[in-house]
Structure formats: C-alpha cells, structure tokens
Amino acid sequence: MIAIGCDHAGYEFKREVINHLTEKGYEIMDLGCNGESCDYPLIAEEVAENVINKKCDKGILICGTGIGMSIAANKIHGVRAALCSDYFSAKYTRLHNDANIMCMGARTIGIGLALELVDVFLETEFEGGRHQRRIDLISNMENK
Ligand code: RB5
C-alpha cells in the first residue's frame, strides 16, 4: 500500500501519480487534499503516520516545491522524507538513506519526470551494510 498526499498546488500531479501507480497494480491510500486550499503540514502528518504505523509501505507527498511537505514529514519520528527532483537522487535515497517518503514539487518539475521518480523510488531496495549504520545514527539523534 502506498500513501499519497498533496496540497492544492500538488493536486493535479497527485491525480496523475495515482493513475500511473494504479495502472501498475499498486494499492493507493489517498489522504487528500481533493483540490481545495489546505495546509500541507496536516497532509504530511497523515501520510507520515500511515507509513510509520506500517499501514503503508512508502509515502509520496506533493506540494508546490515539495519543501514544505518534506520539512513537515521529517518531524515525525522514524520518517526519512527525501525531496527529489532528479533520477539519481530518487534512486540513491532508497539505496543509501532508506527513505520511506518521497516529496516532489509540482511547480518545479514536469509530470513525466515525476512519474519516473516515483517508479525508481518504489522499485529500489535499501542497500543496507554501512548505510544501516548511518541510518542508526540518525535514529539515535531522534531518540535523544
Ligand atoms: C502553496 O502555495 C505552497 O506554499 C506549498 O504548496 C508548498 O510549496 C510549500 O512548501
């Protein structure tokens, strides 16, 4: 199950991402908004909580820049939300950071690239090894 959320700036993008993922066979939990003006931190919190409580495997958040969503999602314990606007980062944030949420900016990238980023993010596994040690160091910071 993939959790997805957006604010008003990301709504059209979210619809395209949902169509794309549904066609590929993913199950989607759509946590809003529905196009109305809204406050992105509330949506980020919903998506983050559904990822952390394991109702969803990964999360996708879309706002105008992706920045507000990533700042907000990263406030939730255990979230590693990565703002991505290039293919390499979307791939390596899975390989090296074990990112569990990807954020995108609907006003900064095109939908074609966004769908490629979603695909590589969802299809790439964490490498583990030395990277696990670094994730553990981040977890230690959260637990202070
Ligand atoms: C909404 O206008 C905009 O501020 C929001 O979508 C996002 O870009 C915030 O980071």
Side-chain angles (χ1 to χ4, degrees):
M1 179 78 75
I2 306 299
I4 188 163
C6 67
D7 71 355
H8 44 283
Y11 179 65
E12 291 304 328
F13 250 56
K14 185 184 73 172
R15 287 182 50 178
E16 299 237 26
V17 170
I18 290 174
N19 287 342
H20 176 75
L21 290 180
T22 303
E23 273 176 23
K24 293 190 100 174
Y26 286 96
E27 279 192 275
I28 304 295
M29 184 186 288
D30 182 359
L31 293 160
C33 74
N34 296 311
E36 74 285 5
S37 181
C38 70
D39 297 328
Y40 62 80
L42 302 175
I43 305 286
E45 187 176 19
E46 281 288 317
V47 166
E49 282 178 351
N50 276 283
V51 171
I52 294 307
N53 68 22
K54 300 206 183 314
K55 287 190 183 144
C56 296
D57 306 303
K58 296 276 181 320
I60 296 170
L61 285 165
I62 308 164
C63 64
T65 58
I67 296 172
M69 285 295 197
S70 58
I71 292 171
N74 277 312
K75 297 296 180 195
I76 302 297
H77 197 280
V79 165
R80 289 179 298 281
L83 171 57
C84 293
S85 56
D86 69 278
Y87 189 90
F88 187 91
S89 297
K91 179 172 179 175
Y92 276 78
T93 199
R94 288 289 311 125
L95 287 171
H96 287 188
N97 312 126
D98 198 16
N100 44 18
I101 296 181
M102 184 172 70
C103 305
M104 298 185 291
R107 293 173 176 161
T108 63
I109 62 171
I111 188 63
L113 174 58
L115 299 182
E116 295 280 325
L117 300 184
V118 165
D119 284 348
V120 72
F121 180 77
L122 295 180
E123 288 163 12
T124 304
E125 294 297 324
F126 178 47
E127 246 177 38
R130 68 189 186 282
H131 302 294
Q132 184 60 56
R133 183 176 73 244
R134 294 159 186 166
I135 300 302
D136 292 343
L137 288 167
I138 294 171
S139 300
N140 292 346
M141 291 162 69
E142 279 183 322
N143 292 327
K144 271 185 191 165

